[in-house]
């Protein structure tokens, strides 16, 4: 990778714009998990200590019409940072294309980039506007590195110097090392609801892992090869692909029993059923006890674990057991464990096992795309910008 890194640059007195991934769960203005903010903090503080004029930007959630929506405002994150970084001035701006400048060693938090028209479409005019906010652009949002958007990708074409932040670099090196030389047996656990995006990575994971454990909507899609699974979440167009993977690799563990409910509700009672006994009006929402036992045994023996996604609807107490037992088994395992994805981070927080996981990635989609072997757009952007720097003889 021919890219510039933040620690190679003299940033003193410069306007340094850092694209972070501060996309944390917020309920009624209260941050539910600060894992991503904490992961970004060392980069922000590094730039502050070097006396840069530090500006940070991030997306938060999925605002509908590229305009302000209170529930997606970064204001609670600004308030959080103001408390953490109490040794300097911290400002917030929602009108930042006309914002006043700040002094060296101070921090400016920009409002959600997804309120800006053109952000998602990687609009050139918006990308150029971002580039004018800074002397140096730092891409540190590993969690958004798979997005070709104005604040993660487009800006790179217009800004003189774009570089990788320490978090982005660290995450990529960590994943590279795990994939290059894993201790065996290596197992992968893939759960969650985003069936279509996760199916792409299953092929690669099945190829490189000794065992692949599927949960959530992915497991349901495998079950749907042989059973009618009622109104469970699954993706019919992936059944054929699931069958091919199952028969080709023979290392995918499919649930042998499931917890089902009739209503998708947090008060719904759960019943354990064999897959062949699921009724039309029932929905699989978690593993059954036999499946949990079988998988916990596999986890115990693993030397490397890659984990993405809850295996059930862990938000509902009666459908939490599978995710909880698996999370706790991963925590107990003394091998190397790597976990990634927004909901995986919430699970880790819920069961307080943060310190027991060897490495927690801030990325979900980026984590999966990297494992899949795809070149992340953020890396492409940094490489292209580096070539521009050479052409323009910036150093
Ligand atoms: P993802 O973002 O793909 O990791 O999906 C996480 C979401 O998947 C969580 O909100 C879970 O509640 C949900 N989920 C897990 N298992 C199931 C299931 N069997 N049916 C419906 N949703 C599920």
């Amino acid at each position: 990778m021919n890219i510039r890194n933040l620690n190679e640059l003299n940033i003193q007195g410069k306007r340094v714009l850092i694209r972070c991934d501060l996309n944390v769960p917020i309920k009624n203005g209260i941050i539910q998990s600060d894992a991503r903010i904490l992961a970004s903090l060392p980069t922000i503080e590094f730039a502050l200590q070097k006396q840069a004029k530090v500006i940070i930007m991030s997306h938060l959630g999925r605002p509908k019409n590229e305009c302000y929506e209170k529930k997606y405002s970064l204001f609670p994150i600004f308030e959080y940072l103001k408390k953490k970084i109490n040794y300097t001035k911290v400002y917030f701006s929602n009108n930042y294309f006309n914002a006043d400048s700040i002094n060296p060693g101070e921090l400016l938090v920009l409002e959600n980039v997804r309120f800006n028209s053109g952000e998602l479409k990687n609009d050139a005019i918006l990308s150029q506007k971002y580039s004018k906010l800074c002397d140096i652009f730092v891409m540190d949002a590993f969690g958004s590195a798979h997005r070709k958007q104005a604040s993660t990708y487009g800006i790179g074409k217009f800004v003189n110097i774009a570089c990788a932040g320490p978090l982005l670099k660290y995450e990529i090196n960590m994943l590279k090392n795990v994939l290059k030389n894993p201790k065996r047996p290596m197992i992968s656990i893939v759960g969650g609801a985003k069936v279509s995006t996760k199916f792409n990575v299953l092929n690669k994971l099945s190829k490189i892992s000794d065992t692949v454990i599927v949960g959530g909507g992915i497991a349901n899609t495998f079950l749907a090869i042989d059973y009618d699974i009622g109104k469970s979440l699954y993706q019919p167009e992936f059944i054929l692909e699931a069958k091919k993977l199952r028969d080709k690799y023979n290392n995918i563990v499919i649930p042998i029993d499931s917890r089902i409910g009739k209503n998708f509700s947090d008060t719904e009672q759960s019943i354990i059923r064999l897959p062949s006994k699921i009724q039309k009006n029932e929905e699989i929402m978690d593993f059954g006890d036999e499946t949990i036992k079988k998988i916990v045994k596999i986890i115990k023996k693993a030397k490397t674990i890659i984990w993405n996604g809850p295996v059930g609807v862990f938000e509902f107490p009666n459908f939490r057991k599978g995710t909880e037992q698996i999370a706790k088994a991963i925590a107990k395992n003394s091998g190397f464990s790597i976990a990634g994805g927004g909901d995986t981070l919430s699970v880790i927080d819920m069961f307080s096992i943060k310190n027991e996981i060897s490495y927690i990635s801030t990325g979900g989609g980026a984590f999966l795309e990297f494992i899949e072997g795809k070149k992340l757009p953020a890396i492409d952007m940094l490489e292209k910008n580096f070539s521009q720097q050479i052409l323009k003889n910036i150093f």
Side-chain angles (χ1 to χ4, degrees):
M1 268 191 321
N2 248 343
I3 60 177
R4 193 73 73 192
N5 293 303
L6 177 62
N7 58 3
E8 299 160 12
L9 302 171
N10 176 7
I11 58 172
Q12 189 179 0
K14 304 256 171 68
R15 293 171 307 152
V16 171
L17 174 61
I18 310 174
R19 174 56 162 99
C20 303
D21 185 344
L22 306 175
N23 183 28
V24 294
I26 297 180
K27 239 190 211 164
N28 303 323
I30 296 161
I31 295 169
Q32 306 294 304
S33 161
D34 59 1
R36 281 187 166 149
I37 313 180
L38 290 177
S40 294
L41 211 51
T43 305
I44 298 168
E45 295 203 292
F46 170 84
L48 288 171
Q49 275 151 21
K50 294 275 175 196
Q51 291 299 303
K53 299 171 180 174
V54 185
I55 307 164
I56 59 172
M57 63 176 174
S58 174
H59 73 285
L60 180 70
R62 294 169 190 257
K64 274 186 215 97
N65 301 313
E66 298 191 317
C67 59
Y68 178 81
E69 265 180 81
K70 190 168 180 227
K71 69 172 176 175
Y72 296 122
S73 172
L74 252 79
F75 196 78
I77 296 169
F78 154 69
E79 287 188 311
Y80 174 101
L81 284 169
K82 214 163 91 169
K83 275 191 208 133
K84 279 258 173 215
I85 303 174
N86 52 11
Y87 48 85
T88 188
K89 285 193 177 141
V90 181
Y91 306 92
F92 182 73
S93 178
N94 50 16
N95 184 20
Y96 43 85
F97 295 116
N98 308 310
D100 292 336
S101 69
I102 53 169
N103 293 314
E106 292 180 350
L107 176 66
L108 173 64
V109 181
L110 305 185
E111 181 55 290
N112 192 346
V113 289
R114 289 196 180 160
F115 294 164
N116 296 328
S117 169
E119 166 62 21
L120 296 183
K121 287 195 213 103
N122 190 31
D123 178 67
I125 294 170
L126 180 65
S127 303
Q128 198 165 16
K129 274 178 154 181
Y130 286 142
S131 75
K132 298 223 163 99
L133 295 172
C134 65
D135 305 305
I136 295 168
F137 172 63
V138 183
M139 179 57 188
D140 204 34
F142 178 71
S144 310
H146 62 312
R147 307 257 185 230
K148 239 182 184 171
Q149 296 173 352
S151 69
T152 57
Y153 187 81
I155 180 172
K157 191 173 161 194
F158 300 101
V159 75
N160 271 341
I161 304 169
C163 66
L167 177 64
L168 181 85
K169 200 175 148 196
Y170 181 67
E171 297 237 23
I172 285 177
N173 285 343
M174 201 67 178
L175 280 172
K176 259 191 194 160
N177 290 340
V178 177
L179 297 177
K180 202 161 79 190
N181 212 359
K183 282 204 173 145
R184 300 214 172 252
M186 169 160 102
I187 67 165
S188 301
I189 303 164
V190 187
K194 294 184 199 106
V195 178
S196 56
T197 51
K198 295 191 185 185
F199 246 89
N200 297 335
V201 81
L202 268 187
N203 207 333
K204 174 77 186 275
L205 286 176
S206 312
K207 208 185 280 177
I208 62 173
S209 312
D210 296 292
T211 308
V212 176
I213 292 156
V214 285
I218 322 244
N220 293 350
T221 307
F222 278 91
L223 286 169
I225 303 170
D226 296 314
Y227 306 103
D228 181 346
I229 53 168
K231 52 176 193 163
S232 305
L233 169 90
Y234 73 105
Q235 205 124 0
E237 59 274 33
F238 281 94
I239 294 178
L240 200 62
E241 174 75 8
K243 189 172 180 323
K244 270 193 214 153
L245 284 180
R246 183 193 67 179
D247 298 344
K248 181 171 175 190
Y249 293 106
N250 214 13
N251 62 355
I252 300 173
V253 178
I254 299 160
I256 45 181
D257 61 348
S258 307
R259 281 190 158 69
I260 60 98
K262 290 194 171 83
N263 301 298
F264 195 79
S265 137
D266 60 355
T267 54
E268 183 68 4
Q269 292 303 308
S270 68
I271 304 166
I272 296 181
R273 284 226 199 285
L274 295 174
S276 56
K277 300 280 192 265
I278 292 163
Q279 309 295 303
K280 286 243 170 308
N281 59 346
E282 293 176 343
E283 185 170 356
I284 301 172
M285 294 201 268
D286 194 9
F287 287 160
D289 288 346
E290 291 307 313
T291 305
I292 295 174
K293 254 192 243 159
K294 182 175 168 182
I295 291 172
V296 166
K297 259 193 206 159
I298 298 171
I299 295 173
K300 266 189 188 158
K301 291 190 192 136
K303 294 256 166 53
T304 305
I305 302 170
I306 299 179
W307 173 31
N308 175 283
V311 297
V313 186
F314 73 102
E315 296 91 337
F316 300 165
N318 295 330
F319 298 93
R320 184 171 293 161
K321 190 172 176 186
T323 303
E324 178 169 6
Q325 296 300 312
I326 277 148
K328 289 185 172 164
I330 297 171
K332 261 198 200 155
N333 179 288
S334 56
F336 187 87
S337 51
I338 180 159
D343 271 298
T344 317
L345 302 191
S346 306
V347 171
I348 289 168
D349 273 351
M350 182 181 265
F351 303 120
S352 310
I353 53 168
K354 195 163 129 186
N355 297 331
E356 278 75 48
I357 307 290
S358 318
Y359 181 64
I360 301 172
S361 171
T362 56
F367 173 83
L368 294 175
E369 286 194 17
F370 190 89
I371 293 173
E372 228 183 298
K374 280 191 186 161
K375 184 172 201 171
L376 296 175
I379 301 301
D380 179 48
M381 175 274 289
L382 290 170
E383 285 178 348
K384 284 183 177 145
N385 183 276
F386 185 76
S387 305
Q388 277 176 191
Q389 291 175 37
I390 306 273
L391 278 177
K392 291 185 195 163
N393 207 7
I394 286 177
F395 286 91

